[in-house]
Amino acid sequence: MTPDQEMTEQTRWMLAVRDERDKRAFVALFDHFGPRLKAFVMRGGTGPELAEEVVQEVMLSVWRKAHQFDPTRAQVSGWIYQITRNCQIDKLRREKRPLPEMIEEEADSGPDAGDIVALEQESAHLKQALHRLNPEQREMIEKAYLGDLSHTEIRRITGLPLGTIKSRIRLGLERLRHELKSMREI
Amino acid sequence: MSKISHHLPESVLAAYAAGSLPYAYAMVAAAHVSMCAECRAIYEAHQCAGGLVLDDMEGMAVSQNTRRQLMDSLDLEAPPEPPAPRAFGVYPAPVAELLGDGGPRWRKVGGGVRQQILHYDDAGSIRLLSIPPGRAVPDHSHGGLELTLVLQGSFSDETGQFGCGDVEVGDPDLEHTPTAGEEGPCICLAATDAPLRFRSLVPRLIQPLLRI
């Protein structure tokens, strides 16, 4: 099996949207994430109408900002999660969320499919770990990532086994830094 | 860049990824993550975890109307995206964006120390401080958490030495006298969620004027 076939279908859809502006792949992404997004936003206390507005806005950003998607640093759900939280904060709190400086890669510097699959495998492990938690712990994790815990309360969730994901992402960042460095040297 | 030795606590990075940090702290987190690959990896790992929570949600049907409107808007020309903010001098992109063109507009606050308040609201304040070499910021403690990120030069206080990219995490019970290193002016980005309390009378009197 080639690494390409081992990628999750979400990643393949997202890469088709990013690289080929494939609308069918976008519809598939929408059918997967749209309903989950709506549930996620409503869980945070937003009414159904505004929630649909957020879903629409987030998915439109997914289409328009697809070039920013880097599968060696985020799985699709994590990338969409970030867009969603930015959108919610801009919309509901009416403040612009401070974001880190962007490190964008050149379009033609395709990352290694092995790196993509490796990050996906790590998130699959984390997902299994989340499923093994007891219901109270699960609820705490959910509340934390919905943004319902304060930064002092959130200390309680930092025991998550994120170690290997972190090192995977760090590898992705190092690759980018290396590319940027060689670009500057040209 | 590789010499950063004082990082943000993981709980702060997790809260930043989850979008639950007050604005002032989020600004320091954005600036530090811009400078520190290690903390950026932790921040992005928490985004991955947030994504798993999203992916685990039991879906709720989205209306056909929303779906149709979305599909129709794919072909619309996107409004021009504002250019991604860029770093300016020692200021990482998120700080440079807040500063606007032309860099900081410093105001003297005594003892050669200068500051610019970047943002101030009920939830806290964020400001830039410029401390001349070898000088100290008046002895103070604070009601809440204080995050101080070094953008240029260095400072040291009772808890240690902080160089470019380092963050000091000041708990409510920390009373400290940060003193800039001799190598040059120290520029810091400082966020608090409560007014600073100075120990001596004079700074306490002028504190309302400083709005810190």
Side-chain angles (χ1 to χ4, degrees):
Chain A
M1 209 194 275
T2 66
D4 198 43
Q5 287 166 308
E6 290 171 17
M7 268 182 222
T8 63
E9 51 187 358
Q10 284 91 342
T11 304
R12 276 185 275 124
W13 292 331
M14 192 60 226
L15 290 177
V17 167
R18 185 189 76 175
D19 301 333
E20 293 145 42
R21 309 305 283 152
D22 182 335
K23 281 192 189 157
R24 273 174 39 204
F26 182 77
V27 169
L29 272 178
F30 178 83
D31 288 340
H32 180 84
F33 284 108
R36 286 171 167 82
L37 273 170
K38 184 173 171 184
F40 180 89
V41 174
M42 286 187 67
R43 188 74 66 86
T46 303
E49 270 176 46
L50 189 55
E52 294 238 343
E53 237 178 78
V54 174
V55 171
Q56 197 175 334
E57 205 167 304
V58 167
M59 290 309 294
L60 191 57
S61 292
V62 167
W63 175 256
R64 288 179 174 169
K65 293 179 194 229
H67 61 278
Q68 292 174 10
F69 174 67
D70 177 353
T72 65
R73 281 164 57 207
Q75 83 287 29
V76 183
S77 60
W79 188 67
I80 295 183
Y81 169 77
Q82 182 211 350
I83 295 177
T84 309
R85 291 299 291 138
N86 293 347
C87 176
Q88 285 179 297
I89 290 167
D90 292 357
K91 234 184 165 65
L92 307 176
R93 258 193 249 160
R94 289 168 197 278
E95 66 182 34
K96 197 169 177 294
R97 183 184 187 189
L99 297 175
E101 209 159 296
M102 249 202 300
I103 17 180
E104 259 185 278
E105 63 184 312
E106 288 298 281
D108 56 346
S109 58
D112 182 35
D115 289 342
I116 303 175
V117 172
L119 180 65
E120 285 183 343
Q121 281 168 349
E122 293 312 331
S123 30
H125 289 154
L126 179 60
K127 193 161 190 164
Q128 286 159 8
L130 289 177
H131 288 169
R132 281 195 297 270
L133 296 174
N134 68 41
E136 288 100 294
Q137 290 171 317
R138 279 292 300 272
E139 203 193 316
M140 191 59 74
I141 297 283
E142 254 181 38
K143 278 175 95 169
Y145 289 106
L146 280 162
D148 287 345
L149 293 187
S150 73
H151 63 276
T152 41
E153 293 168 325
I154 224 163
R155 272 184 213 157
R156 284 186 273 171
I157 65 137
T158 44
L160 277 178
L162 288 175
T164 38
I165 291 202
K166 282 178 213 164
S167 33
R168 275 289 148 203
I169 293 172
R170 202 169 295 138
L171 285 178
L173 288 167
E174 274 163 21
R175 174 181 59 83
L176 280 181
R177 266 212 308 261
H178 180 73
E179 272 167 22
L180 292 175
K181 192 163 168 272
S182 50
M183 267 164 53
R184 273 199 298 269
E185 279 163 1
I186 291 170
Chain B
M1 227 188 221
S2 54
K3 288 191 296 269
I4 296 176
S5 51
H6 297 276
H7 298 273
L8 281 172
E10 176 146 2
S11 60
V12 172
L13 289 166
Y16 176 47
S20 43
L21 273 190
Y23 181 83
Y25 296 153
M27 184 54 72
V28 172
H32 179 70
V33 165
S34 301
M35 301 167 87
C36 175
E38 207 169 309
C39 287
R40 190 188 284 260
I42 297 172
Y43 159 70
E44 292 184 0
H46 279 283
Q47 290 181 337
C48 282
L52 295 177
V53 168
L54 167 66
D55 206 48
D56 256 358
M57 286 279 149
E58 203 166 315
M60 295 177 72
V62 178
S63 74
Q64 283 304 316
N65 201 19
T66 297
R67 190 192 157 101
R68 200 168 38 243
Q69 278 179 15
L70 175 65
M71 298 310 160
D72 287 347
S73 47
L74 296 189
D75 287 326
L76 296 179
E77 199 172 329
E81 224 175 295
R86 287 172 169 273
F88 171 78
V90 300
Y91 307 102
V95 181
E97 189 186 18
L98 192 57
L99 269 175
D101 294 335
R105 287 166 292 278
W106 297 112
R107 304 186 75 155
K108 291 176 185 154
V109 293
V113 178
R114 296 177 300 162
Q115 74 164 6
Q116 182 187 347
I117 296 165
L118 296 174
H119 181 85
Y120 180 85
D121 63 28
D122 293 344
S125 71
I126 178 102
R127 65 214 159 90
L128 285 169
L129 278 171
S130 171
I131 315 161
R135 301 290 272 277
V137 174
D139 196 6
H140 66 276
S141 61
H142 16 81
L145 177 72
E146 184 184 46
L147 298 178
T148 309
L149 168 68
V150 180
L151 300 176
Q152 176 190 294
S154 69
F155 74 81
S156 37
D157 67 10
E158 290 78 351
T159 68
Q161 213 210 339
F162 300 84
C164 189
D166 282 338
V167 193
E168 182 180 50
V169 181
D171 290 323
D173 44 358
L174 172 74
E175 278 196 16
H176 62 155
T177 315
T179 305
E182 295 291 346
E183 73 277 8
C186 174
I187 297 181
C188 300
L189 180 70
T192 52
D193 63 354
L196 299 187
R197 293 190 302 265
F198 288 99
R199 282 169 80 190
S200 55
L201 181 63
V202 173
R204 214 182 294 154
L205 287 177
I206 59 170
Q207 195 180 329
L209 305 176
L210 303 182
R211 292 199 298 159
I212 55 179

